[in-house]
């Protein structure tokens, strides 16, 4: 009788281990999937041409004022993470400081303001096909992301 119970417990334990290992492997495959991660670049004066103009993917260009970065040194990283989770792998994301990226800022479809405010626009094949959007200093950029994406994906609206 004890051997029978031990055998049943062993079979249940083996099946649970198979299920747990399967779940673990499935989870690992999901985490490493390229569909989850966006391509993210930090813009600098020397890479706008190669990273945005010549990009094979539509590129979301996010420029943040140095005022934001001075107040919050993690601002660019926080913005990158939010952009990555919002845009996913269909877009390339390029983030930089507006004052350090004058070419990118001057190409923005938005009115140029000094000191610059944080902006988001989407480029495809070197042209910005959106009007873009502003987001206030220190605010959540999600609304600006939504606006720019909607303008890009629905240009006739």
């Amino acid at each position: 009788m004890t051997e029978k119970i031990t055998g049943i417990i062993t079979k249940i334990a083996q099946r649970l281990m198979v299920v747990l290992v399967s779940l673990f492997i499935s989870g690992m495959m999901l985490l490493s999937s390229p569909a989850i991660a966006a391509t993210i670049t930090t813009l600098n004066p020397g890479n706008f041409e190669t990273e945005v103009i010549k990009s094979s993917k539509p590129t979301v260009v996010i420029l943040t004022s140095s005022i934001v970065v001075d107040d919050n040194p993690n601002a660019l990283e926080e913005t990158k993470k939010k952009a990555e989770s919002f845009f996913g792998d269909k877009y390339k994301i390029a983030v930089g400081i507006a004052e350090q990226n004058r070419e990118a800022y001057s190409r923005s479809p938005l009115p140029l303001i000094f000191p610059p405010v944080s902006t988001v626009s989407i480029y495809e094949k070197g042209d910005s096909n959106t009007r873009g959007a502003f987001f206030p200093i220190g605010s959540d950029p999600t609304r600006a992301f939504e606006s720019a994406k909607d303008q890009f994906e629905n240009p006739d609206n």
Side-chain angles (χ1 to χ4, degrees), residues 36-105:
I36 293 177
T39 304
I40 301 178
T41 300
T42 300
L43 280 179
N44 61 54
N47 70 358
F48 183 78
E49 177 89 16
T50 57
E51 297 296 335
V52 177
I53 302 300
K54 294 181 179 177
S55 175
S56 60
K57 281 184 172 183
T59 303
V60 178
V61 176
I62 303 166
L63 296 172
T64 301
S65 171
S66 62
I67 295 168
V68 173
V69 177
D70 290 345
D71 287 345
N72 178 4
N74 296 322
L76 286 179
E77 287 304 315
E78 291 168 4
T79 302
K80 284 179 187 179
K81 287 178 185 175
K82 287 180 182 179
E84 181 180 30
S85 70
F86 184 84
F87 290 102
D89 72 333
K90 292 183 181 181
Y91 296 85
K92 180 176 183 177
I93 299 165
V95 178
I97 298 173
E99 293 89 341
Q100 294 174 0
N101 292 281
R102 294 195 185 276
E103 180 181 2
Y105 191 64

